[in-house]
Amino acid sequence: MEDYLSLLVEYDVLGAFWVNIQLTLWAGLWSFLLGTLLALMRISPIASLQWLGAAYVNVFRNTPLTIILAFGFLGLFGQLGFTLDEDLNVSLFRIAILGLAIYHAAFVCEAIRSGVNTVPLGQAEAARAIGLSFMPAARLVILPQAFRGAIAPLGNVLIALIKNSTVAAAGSVAIETSTVMKEMIEFRSDVIYPIFFTFAIGFVILVIPIGLLTTWASKKLAVAR
Amino acid sequence: MSAQQVLFDAPGPKSRRNILIGNIIGAIIIVGLIGYLIVALTAQGQFAPERWSPFLEWDTWRFFLLEGLFYTLRAAAISVVTSIIFGLIFGLGRLSHVAAIRWFSGIVVEFFRAVPVLLMMIFFWLLLGNFGIFRPQDSPFVAVILGLTLYNGSVIAELVRSGVHNLPKGQREAGLAIGMTRTQSLRAIEIPQALVAMLPALVSQFVVILKDSALGYIITYSELLAYARRLGSGEGNIFQSLIVAAVIFIIINFLLTSLATKLSRLLSFRTGGKTRKDKNEKVLVADPTNTGTGVGAA
Amino acid sequence: MRTTRYAAAAMAAAAALTLSACGGGGESGGEGGGEGGGEAGGETVRIGIKFDQPGLGFDEGGSYTGFDVDVAKYVAGELGYTEDQIEWVESPSANRENMLANEQVDMIFATYSITDTRKETVDFAGPYFIAGQDLLVPADSDISGPEDLEGKNLCSVTGSTSATKIKEEYPGVNLVEQPGYAECVSVMASGAIDAVTTDDIILAGLAANAESGDFKVVGNTFSEERYGVGLTKGSELCSDINAAIEKMIEEGAWEEALQNNLEGVDYEPNAELNPPTPDDCA
């Protein structure tokens, strides 16, 4: 037990989790914005945008995240010379955020579309009847209800995002939970169980409240029909 | 399609012009993006023939890509079977009327749904190395299967549970009324219907398993991605190798997603006793692709 | 183009083997008969190598190439095994000790550095090569050692000892950690990375296989990695393997294998240390 506690002093476990939380928050924000835009494109009257939205979702939803993150490094940074900060490691951290956001935006888009699914036809008909065109109807009538209906699936995307942020090691973010856990176990394989449970419980503590909160919110904010 | 048109008026001359402008802008964005990528990557020599020519050789496919794909599919196929078994056991456990079993199953399912698959894989990989049960070269494979099974099995357990919960109450009541016990009604009436209803979601879960199996290369399991990397380091074209690997994944997963869509359409006709979700049948975008979130990892 | 190069290497290796088979057939029969003879004679030998390290141990799709592979083939030949009797097994760095402890392989040739920690669980024959941590840079770069890296972008593999060493001793370097060296080299070709670090011979192997970009190994090593042959604790093969390595060096087959596998790269192994003299067997 003492051995195990001394490990916690030597390795910055909380710091590793903080890296994952940062990745999640930023990627969550960007994927939400991008995903909403994509959902709008997919329900818009403009065929080329519909096509672009659908193509985006089909490509990124079906590609393993590891490959997307590898392209962030090899393609964006390596070939296109894309940098997001003067400091190399900050830049690569942001590129990893971008990769996570690009992947999860496809799922945010689908979550919002499933939210649009919950909006009854009459709402759109009513919006049309009072003379609203597509954007005002979407902004004032459809999306506010759709977001409420999409809370539960959006919560699932956020949960997946937290867990998937561990894959960022493939996108050159080295000090996050999966790499730190691996190093700790390789260094002290005799306390492998406590090490694993420390990290596992950490994720349980992060994930379960989001699940409960989104379930509660989706019930509380559900549009009464 | 008809449902979509509800969102906007049948376009008049003015909005038809606006839509045309929008289409042109959209097309310019698409062409611009693709053009930029082509120009920028050509400047870096990424389209040089010698970087792509290996993919014209049968040996590249036979010894690297198809072989890697075989190991990917093998891990995924085994995991699907073990996940379904795990999911059935714990899904039924959560429906049990013995409180202790219900609680135990609940804790197991919630735990494994919360822990990242990659952490589980790394843990089992390093753990198995300490035991002598499996050959050392097999421990990555076993760790991949275990990680995928525990996570996806837990998701399937939830599908089983919600599938049964979403059945109309009358189904169970009818079972009880003809003298079945709760277990009998569950086994003979509710589960079979729930399984049929969850089939599309199950196929979507297969996509998640396939994508997540790509995490295996991190723990030295030689699957498609690992083979693509190996090919890339031998030929000096890792960028191209990963693109080809990504395309293979996209095609397979796209086919599976389409299958899920077809299944869910087919089943919505087939199951006369609708599941409860169909309450909101008149909705804006009738979209059968929403068969599950399927975010998974990797 | 590439195929021909590999083919040339394979032919050279085969030639070296035939030579050794002529010269050493009787001798190894006499020596091996007493000690390791039980395994030879129709039996196979399981040799652990890297499958993903071009220039050292690489799976070409059923055939294996690289310097480690050539040395392994020579040594196996000296122990009385024909090439058909060799069963190649992939042994990634993390699995090597376990594979030996569980007797899944008979010997390992996989850029396996002899260290005191490892000696507690496994035995080593050799070394058959002495590598050192070094830098791979573009041919026109003026970086000549780790002290020139201040503020530069350096790439290595996540969690590798090379990466750890740089982090500890040269904190001013921008270290990027990637899952594999191929990523590092690919990005260095486009100029976004200034140098790649790991053992010099691994760097040379990578450079020999890079399709584009002109690279050089700096040749200013800052560590000593003595590549040994990993053996199960208590194995009796050590002295025979050492004799085979000495003979390989003496005959010039060692030099030839090195040349063939690292052709076309600006790289000379550290001449003071190479070719090495195998340690005494414990």
Side-chain angles (χ1 to χ4, degrees), chain B residues 126-196:
Chain B
L126 298 173
L127 181 72
L128 291 171
N130 292 342
F131 300 149
I133 312 170
F134 300 101
R135 299 188 304 162
Q137 61 263 45
D138 289 338
S139 61
F141 174 61
V142 178
V144 166
I145 302 279
L146 280 173
L148 291 178
T149 302
L150 292 176
Y151 170 66
N152 293 288
S154 300
V155 174
I156 291 172
E158 281 302 282
L159 288 176
V160 170
R161 187 173 76 122
S162 66
V164 169
H165 272 300
N166 283 339
L167 286 177
K169 251 203 310 226
Q171 295 288 331
R172 176 195 284 187
E173 285 165 357
L176 297 178
I178 58 168
M180 284 178 157
T181 63
R182 274 184 65 184
T183 321
Q184 280 174 328
S185 134
L186 202 61
R187 209 176 48 213
I189 297 176
E190 294 168 63
I191 304 270
Q193 295 188 62
L195 282 183
V196 172

Side-chain angles (χ1 to χ4, degrees), chain B residues 51 129 136 229-230 235, chain C residues 2 58 98 104 183 211-212:
Chain B
R51 293 190 171 221
R229 276 165 196 280
R230 189 183 296 169
E235 300 282 354
Chain C
R2 184 145 316 276
F58 191 73
N98 280 325
Q104 300 293 333
E183 280 91 341
E211 193 69 65
S212 75

